[in-house]
Amino acid sequence: MGDHIEKWATHIAETELSSTLPRRWAHTQGVAKSALEVSQVLGQDAGLLIAAATLHDVGYAPRLAATGFHPLDGARFLRDEREADERLVRLVANHSFALLEAEERGLRNELASEFPLLKEPLLVDALVYCDMTTTPDGERTTAQDRVAEIRSRYGDDSVVGRFIRRAAPEIFASVQRVEAALAAHPR
């Protein structure tokens, strides 16, 4: 994987998000930019990370929102309409601890059976890092501020609020592991 999959992913994400959800598109571009910066620690999976970062929120596109749960809707679109690489689809399906939110929504078994978690911890952590250190407007932030922003936007008693409170310790741990990997891998 490499430049081809990155361009392919950008084309799809831009087509699906830029006109209907411009703020989500701005976030997506910021997450992809972060992935480019982090990709140095992933070797041959750098392109896969960048593609997953670019496509992680494609399921928010109104025409794709079948269940209303964007990781599942995006992964199904990528698998069924775009015949995407299985690892890419599974990364999108499970990004940023989506399984915990799926549980809140009663979709855990559906997500887990269709799209099992990848057993590639650094790759999974890198996508969490990119997503959870990028604001809704595509700017860099800390994971702590991002979690606080999500809680504020959705409210603690919402499905997303309950999920993000549960996921926060895992998110922070993922971010710390990626920061450690980056520190150990000088540019």
Side-chain angles (χ1 to χ4, degrees), residues 14 33 48 51 55 58 62 66 73 77 92 97 99 136 147 149 184:
E14 184 174 17
K33 181 180 176 188
L48 178 59
L55 292 165
V58 74
D73 293 337
F77 160 72
V92 168
F97 301 99
L99 204 54
V147 167
E149 180 276 322

Side-chain angles (χ1 to χ4, degrees), residues 1 22 24 29 38 41 44 46 58 68 85 108 114 123 128 167 175:
M1 287 190 197
R24 184 66 54 190
Q29 290 174 296
V38 171
V41 300
Q44 67 183 16
V58 74
D85 174 83
R108 182 184 176 94
E114 279 187 60
L123 183 58
V128 171
V175 168

Side-chain angles (χ1 to χ4, degrees), residues 9 31 47-57 87-88 91-92 127:
V31 174
L48 178 59
L49 172 64
I50 296 165
T54 304
L55 292 165
H56 80 285
D57 278 353
R87 290 169 68 216
L88 173 62
L91 279 168
V92 168
L127 185 54

Side-chain angles (χ1 to χ4, degrees), residues 166-181:
R166 288 178 59 204
E170 298 298 329
I171 290 166
F172 301 150
S174 285
V175 168
Q176 287 177 335
R177 288 188 294 266
V178 172
E179 288 171 344

